[in-house]
Amino acid sequence: AVVSTQSGHYGRGVQLYFVDRYLNRVTMLRFTLSVLSVNVVLSGSTVAASDSKSYSALKFTYDRNSCVSYSPDMSPFTDKFTICVWVRKLQSGSIPSPFCYYTSDYEIFMTDNGCFNRLFSSLSLDNVLTSKFTSPVGTWFMYCSTWSLASRTFRVYVNGQLAGTETTPSGRKLQTGGALTLGNRAPGSDHRFGGELFNFNLYSKELTATEVAAMSSGGLCTEIPEQLEEYRVIKWEDIVKLSRSGTVQDLETRCGPSIEDKLNRTQTELLEVQGLFNSTQEELVGVKRDLGVMGGELNDTKVKLEGVKRELGAMGGELNETKSQLEDTKLELEDTKLELKNVNESKCALQKGNLTKWDMFYSPAYYNKTFTRRLYQQLTTTWDSISSKLFGMTITDKVIELIKDLDDDQIDHCGELLS
């Protein structure tokens, strides 16, 4: 498949070109994928596929003389071999033989209905495998048989599945010098085959069950694995060049299932592709829905952050106001400290003048003295401020209260304070 894409405003367009090797054409599928819709269009236009392959089959007329018979060198197969061939019977018979290798007796012999499957003329598988050879007339099936001297086991496969086994005598090898005939047991025999053969190959190796299954898994289109080519001694492309007896026709056969099977498979694949795109559409719609929910949550978070920002701004204003109040309080404390210093100075002045608080209170005549005038002036200035700011009392009451509380003892460092 070849894929091309185109992007648009509403989605991406995908074009798939399917190469149909069986119908010899290319089919274009166009998909338009978006969040809201998925369209699947099967284009009606087709072109010839350049890589379509065809293979030469041989068609044998149902008579005694129609066959290909020759004597190949069988020495590479005396101790091991694998035979594989595609068979399509067109005429039913009692014992029709698509191929046989015959010396003095049947070394390898099979019939398309499973009646005979012989190795070394053994009869043990005769009429045992008929239930495995059930492909109807006109239908291709793959026959394989394997054997080796080491395993002493003859195995028969139909369409890659093991149909039956037989144990061979110890030391028995495949005889050489016989004739290999396709289309009959031998020229002129009544075991004539009416139908088509394709891709008859003889390998100098006992293939495993896995290798046999792999060669039939893809139908007539199955390529022979490269690793088995070295063992493919008798090759189909050489057989079709051999001389023939009777009426043996070359057919250009396209490998693969019937047209009806291909159309059914294509329809199934289209339904699977459409289902895949529908599920993708549902997932995209779900993603869009989730993104919408996330967008709403982000908007809510944005609103909350803006509210927090406003609260922080208000707290900043309150902090600034508190800071201003603290600065005012600091100034008031400085003033109070200065006023207390003035009170101490007043105490020192009283002590310096040898006056007690009672002399000050009851002998106002001392006010006219120089050293007591300074005291009165300092007390008046100090308590005017203190009474208005701290105590709410008249200056007179404060002065009286202060003088009553003064201590008559010596004040420490009074000399340093007044110096």
Side-chain angles (χ1 to χ4, degrees), residues 106-118:
Y106 300 107
E107 286 293 288
I108 308 172
F109 176 46
M110 63 88 67
T111 58
D112 63 15
N113 55 13
C115 289
F116 294 155
N117 286 278
R118 294 182 182 179

Side-chain angles (χ1 to χ4, degrees), residues 1-49:
V2 180
V3 182
S4 67
T5 61
Q6 291 182 341
S7 298
H9 295 290
Y10 304 104
R12 179 176 289 274
V14 181
Q15 292 181 348
L16 303 180
Y17 296 87
F18 289 97
V19 179
D20 193 330
R21 302 199 308 178
Y22 316 127
L23 295 179
N24 194 30
R25 70 181 188 181
V26 175
T27 301
M28 181 181 70
L29 300 180
R30 184 185 299 111
F31 302 93
T32 302
L33 175 63
S34 69
V35 173
L36 298 180
S37 66
V38 175
N39 297 320
V40 180
V41 179
L42 175 61
S43 173
S45 61
T46 60
V47 297

Side-chain angles (χ1 to χ4, degrees), residues 62-64 94-100 106 109-111 116 118 183-186 188-194:
Y62 187 64
D63 61 50
R64 295 179 179 180
S94 58
I95 46 176
S97 177
F99 74 91
C100 177
Y106 300 107
F109 176 46
M110 63 88 67
T111 58
F116 294 155
R118 294 182 182 179
N184 205 334
R185 181 192 67 80
S189 170
D190 287 333
H191 297 169
R192 57 192 182 274
F193 167 73

Side-chain angles (χ1 to χ4, degrees), residues 86-301:
W86 284 93
V87 181
R88 184 187 185 201
K89 60 182 179 181
L90 300 176
Q91 180 72 45
S92 296
S94 58
I95 46 176
S97 177
F99 74 91
C100 177
Y101 175 61
Y102 189 87
T103 55
S104 59
D105 205 341
Y106 300 107
E107 286 293 288
I108 308 172
F109 176 46
M110 63 88 67
T111 58
D112 63 15
N113 55 13
C115 289
F116 294 155
N117 286 278
R118 294 182 182 179
L119 177 66
F120 307 151
S121 301
S122 171
L123 306 180
S124 63
L125 292 181
D126 284 0
N127 298 309
V128 174
L129 305 182
T130 54
S131 63
K132 307 295 183 180
F133 287 74
T134 57
S135 297
V137 173
T139 302
W140 286 100
F141 73 91
M142 187 180 193
Y143 166 92
C144 286
S145 58
T146 66
W147 170 84
S148 72
L149 181 64
S151 70
R152 294 180 53 206
T153 303
F154 178 59
R155 295 179 175 88
V156 176
Y157 296 87
V158 176
N159 291 329
Q161 301 296 318
L162 182 63
T165 61
E166 176 187 358
T167 302
T168 60
S170 177
R172 176 65 157 90
K173 292 185 177 181
L174 186 71
Q175 300 298 309
T176 60
L180 177 63
T181 302
L182 279 69
N184 205 334
R185 181 192 67 80
S189 170
D190 287 333
H191 297 169
R192 57 192 182 274
F193 167 73
E196 299 171 6
L197 297 181
F198 168 64
N199 222 10
F200 180 97
N201 294 285
L202 192 51
Y203 301 84
S204 60
K205 179 181 186 294
E206 182 184 26
L207 298 187
T208 65
T210 301
E211 290 171 329
V212 171
M215 286 200 298
S216 66
S217 60
L220 288 174
C221 280
T222 305
E223 298 286 347
I224 296 173
E226 184 178 355
Q227 64 270 21
L228 297 182
E229 282 293 341
E230 62 177 301
Y231 304 105
R232 194 165 67 102
V233 179
I234 295 180
K235 304 177 181 180
W236 177 248
E237 55 266 34
D238 297 330
I239 291 176
V240 296
K241 299 175 184 178
L242 297 174
S243 61
R244 307 159 189 178
S245 300
T247 305
V248 180
Q249 297 177 304
D250 289 300
L251 297 178
E252 289 297 316
T253 301
R254 300 194 182 280
C255 62
S258 66
I259 294 178
E260 182 179 358
D261 291 339
K262 287 181 283 188
L263 290 176
N264 290 335
R265 186 182 64 184
T266 301
Q267 182 179 10
T268 301
E269 292 173 350
L270 285 174
L271 292 175
E272 291 176 354
V273 171
Q274 186 174 14
L276 175 62
F277 274 82
N278 288 339
S279 62
T280 303
Q281 178 192 11
E282 293 175 359
E283 292 176 359
L284 290 174
V285 172
V287 170
K288 181 180 179 181
R289 184 170 53 251
D290 293 341
L291 289 175
V293 173
M294 291 175 62
E297 293 176 351
L298 289 175
N299 289 334
D300 293 342
T301 302

